[in-house]
Amino acid sequence: MPLIPEEPQIHEKAQGPRATPASGRTAPTPRPVPGPRPAAPPRPGRPGPVRPAPPAQRTSRDTTAAAKPGRAGPAAPATAATDPATPQIQLIPATPDGALDAAEEAVDLLLDSGRTPGDVLVITTGDAHPWAAHELSFGDTAYWAQHDAGDDVFYADAAVADRAASRAVVVVALNGGPEAAAVTALSAAHSRAGALLIVCGDPQRINSVLGAGV
């Protein structure tokens, strides 16, 4: 009696990603970030006496996390640099209250894209970033020693930004402060950014300061 060949089993094709978000939810719009860079090496621990953990530890986070309350909309398209010596400028619309959150998200995206923490400098114009306030509590010398080590994201106030060294990426958070602080921060950032300058704040204010020759 002839054998009847077995019929091939047909497996259902795995469904691909959904084209539209689930009902009632808005799909987050990713911010523009630089292209991939070599993966960052493990970040070394800091030598010296044990300190309490800083308020905001710099680590890469899931970029698909829900947006924080008060954060502004998606970033404006990056402006291409025409001079190789001029950094690319990217504007991220944000209110003064949301500028620091926007800057934090920009840093997370940079780290997730392959930038090393030592590539990034963050300048604030209003209240100091919690990390900077924490580290300055141990003294000015210890604070700047971490800047000189160059192995982590460094946060500086606009008033001392001129002391910071150049880094590949500089992020400015216009989180308040007088107009003079914004001018100082943008001027320092523009001269210290090697490849990319990201500014989080009111676009009209940013363009006004940048157009004034910063």
Side-chain angles (χ1 to χ4, degrees):
M1 181 174 182
L3 297 177
I4 300 176
E6 295 182 358
E7 294 184 1
Q9 297 183 359
I10 301 175
H11 299 278
E12 293 183 359
K13 181 179 295 185
Q15 295 181 355
R18 298 175 62 179
T20 58
S23 177
R25 298 178 58 187
T26 302
T29 302
R31 302 185 186 284
V33 294
R37 300 289 193 284
R43 292 165 61 186
R46 297 185 182 127
V50 177
R51 300 177 178 177
Q57 183 70 23
R58 291 298 335 130
T59 56
S60 297
R61 298 183 303 193
D62 185 0
T63 58
T64 61
K68 299 179 182 178
R71 182 169 297 156
T79 302
T82 56
D83 184 345
T86 301
Q88 184 181 22
I89 299 175
Q90 178 180 318
L91 308 183
I92 299 179
T95 63
D97 290 339
L100 198 55
D101 280 346
E104 283 286 274
E105 183 174 341
V107 171
D108 289 337
L109 292 175
L110 288 164
L111 298 181
D112 290 342
S113 72
R115 283 285 183 186
T116 62
D119 280 346
V120 184
L121 168 67
V122 180
I123 301 174
T124 57
T125 61
D127 292 338
H129 187 279
W131 181 93
H134 176 269
E135 295 302 324
L136 280 168
S137 69
F138 296 100
D140 192 70
T141 300
Y143 170 74
W144 285 104
Q146 295 195 50
H147 164 270
D148 296 339
D151 57 6
D152 205 350
V153 179
F154 190 77
Y155 297 84
D157 183 81
V160 297
D162 285 340
R163 185 172 171 181
S166 297
R167 293 201 177 189
V169 183
V170 179
V171 181
V172 178
L174 297 179
N175 61 327
E179 190 68 19
V183 174
T184 298
L186 290 173
S187 177
H190 193 267
S191 64
R192 283 158 179 74
L196 179 64
L197 169 59
I198 301 174
V199 188
C200 307
D202 175 30
Q204 185 175 357
R205 184 184 185 193
I206 295 169
N207 287 323
S208 175
V209 175
L210 291 176
V214 171

